[in-house]
Amino acid sequence: MAQTDLETPVTTESGLPPLDLLIAAPRGFCAGVDRAIRIVELAIEKYGAPVYVRHEIVHNRFVVDELRQKGAVFVEELDEVPDDAPVVFSAHGVPKAVPFKASERGLTWLDATCPLVSKVHRQAERLSEQGRHILFIGHQGHPEVIGTLGQLPDGAMTLVETIADVATLVVADPDNLAFLTQTTLSVDDTAGMVEALRARFPNIQMPRGEDICYATSNRQAAVKRIAHQCDAMLVIGAPNSSNSVRLVEVAEREGTRAILVQRGECIDFDWLDGVKTLGITAGASAPEILVREVVDRLATRYTIREREVEAVAERMIFKLPRGLAA
Ligand code: 10G
Ligand code: SF4
């Protein structure tokens, strides 16, 4: 892409040094995050505060704090929810035992699991009904992984995290396997994993569609589109946000220094020393207001010229659950 419109003057009228910003698009909230946050807001309107939320609704402290102010109470386990309070399950999905226990206790519960995660849950059930053992590509301990593995009885799925894991896998019937993936993985790493799985298990059944979701792949594509034009990149997102951490890795693989920042006040100006063109993106759980906050903070030290670079147009919207939709 031609960059002539980004040639900056050496000095500026304000006396602040120039900094060109390339802002990736798409970035920030995906349709699943939008929907999950709306479910909590609508649940508070419908039932009144407090509405309990099991796990951070999405992995962003700013989002969580805003919902807390509106009347949400965040807990990690169902045991922490009182009998008379409604509870929302986070966008990352939950093991089957969680709604089961909630119903057993007579709790009012709402499921904010992203429909694209639920789709993987259903695929897992279907493959298991067909008698296949499922290899699940994902990151151990992540709530989405715990939720997806928890759709089937113990032993029905095996987690594989790395190509090294593929080499050492012990399976009962190599001709009766299928694989599924976490939705927020690195597109490139996953391609390598799939290649390794297919090389070792030529009869393994592939997912019909892609399990890495549209938002994850689009945000990674958008980083690839700008990273090589940038001296460094800021990814707005939380350290526990899998998709945000993947965006840092994508930039670094393109050869560009990258760092995760949670919000404007976290910018380390020493880290930006010598940077003339800075890339900015945001993970799927980071609101646009934090992008503006970061740009505003940068503007306290630099004369900013910003340009948005769109890699893919995105228009996805997910329906709200029945009973909450207007
Ligand atoms: O990227 P992860 O899965 O850690 O979650 P997040 O809350 O940072 O972003 C939204 C993505 C999901 C809800 C997982 S499908
Ligand atoms: Fe859904 Fe993808 Fe967003 Fe996860 S990252 S909530 S799968 S759209």
Side-chain angles (χ1 to χ4, degrees):
M1 191 183 28
Q3 287 300 295
T4 47
D5 59 336
L6 276 184
E7 277 163 20
T8 45
V10 179
T11 53
T12 64
E13 262 176 45
S14 67
L16 295 172
L19 180 68
D20 286 324
L21 299 183
L22 288 183
I23 305 191
R27 64 177 173 279
F29 278 9
C30 60
V33 164
D34 255 334
R35 175 179 179 271
I37 294 170
R38 198 67 198 123
I39 288 174
V40 178
E41 289 170 342
L42 289 170
I44 295 169
E45 278 176 31
K46 180 169 175 174
Y47 301 104
V51 164
Y52 281 71
V53 183
R54 186 190 174 278
H55 192 68
E56 289 187 327
I57 187 72
V58 298
H59 291 147
N60 189 277
R61 203 190 300 160
F62 179 89
V63 170
V64 165
D65 287 344
E66 287 235 301
L67 290 174
R68 200 178 274 129
Q69 277 176 12
K70 292 180 182 171
V73 176
F74 290 87
V75 295
E76 277 310 308
E77 292 303 336
L78 207 58
D79 302 347
E80 300 165 67
V81 180
D83 286 337
D84 56 354
V87 58
V88 179
F89 305 139
S90 84
H92 315 90
V94 286
K96 264 217 158 104
V98 172
F100 182 81
K101 277 188 201 141
S103 296
E104 233 180 16
R105 280 182 56 196
L107 294 177
T108 300
W109 56 267
L110 294 140
D111 189 2
T113 303
C114 175
L116 299 181
V117 175
S118 300
K119 186 175 140 206
V120 178
H121 291 179
R122 287 196 302 273
Q123 279 177 309
E125 285 181 319
R126 216 169 299 132
L127 289 164
S128 183
E129 279 160 21
Q130 291 166 11
R132 291 190 184 265
H133 182 78
I134 299 164
L135 304 177
F136 186 67
I137 307 175
H139 298 289
Q140 187 157 36
H142 187 280
E144 180 185 342
V145 173
I146 294 169
T148 303
L149 294 179
Q151 297 306 303
L152 296 178
D154 281 354
M157 292 174 98
T158 304
L159 180 64
V160 278
E161 286 193 271
T162 61
I163 290 184
D165 286 349
V166 176
T168 55
L169 264 177
V170 179
V171 294
D173 182 358
D175 291 324
N176 206 15
L177 293 173
F179 76 84
L180 295 171
T181 79
Q182 193 176 342
T183 56
T184 54
L185 297 180
S186 148
V187 170
D188 293 338
D189 281 351
T190 307
M193 293 280 290
V194 170
E195 200 179 313
L197 282 173
R198 294 185 73 190
R200 196 163 163 218
F201 307 111
N203 293 329
I204 194 164
Q205 186 172 319
M206 310 264 294
R208 225 181 292 152
E210 177 73 57
D211 289 334
I212 297 178
C213 76
Y214 81 95
T216 298
S217 19
N218 289 350
R219 279 150 193 69
Q220 290 178 18
V223 168
K224 282 190 187 174
R225 175 77 185 271
I226 60 169
H228 64 281
Q229 304 167 39
C230 301
D231 303 311
M233 277 205 72
L234 297 182
V235 177
I236 301 164
N240 61 339
S241 166
S242 165
N243 78 88
S244 305
V245 174
R246 303 290 84 79
L247 295 177
V248 171
E249 292 169 359
V250 168
E252 286 173 341
R253 278 193 201 158
E254 293 292 305
T256 305
R257 229 154 39 92
I259 199 167
L260 207 57
V261 288
Q262 303 219 50
R263 45 189 314 171
E265 67 196 23
C266 307
I267 294 171
D268 172 1
F269 285 104
D270 290 343
W271 190 85
L272 291 176
D273 226 21
V275 172
K276 300 262 180 289
T277 303
L278 178 67
I280 294 188
T281 187
S285 44
E288 185 63 15
I289 194 171
L290 295 183
V291 176
R292 295 327 309 169
E293 187 184 274
V294 162
V295 174
D296 289 348
R297 177 97 204 279
L298 291 166
T300 63
R301 301 281 189 104
Y302 300 96
T303 300
I304 300 292
R305 275 200 319 188
E306 57 177 288
R307 192 159 66 91
E308 183 173 84
V309 181
E310 185 176 64
V312 193
E314 211 178 75
R315 274 176 215 91
M316 191 73 84
I317 295 174
F318 294 141
K319 275 195 212 146
L320 288 162
R322 253 175 286 150
L324 278 185

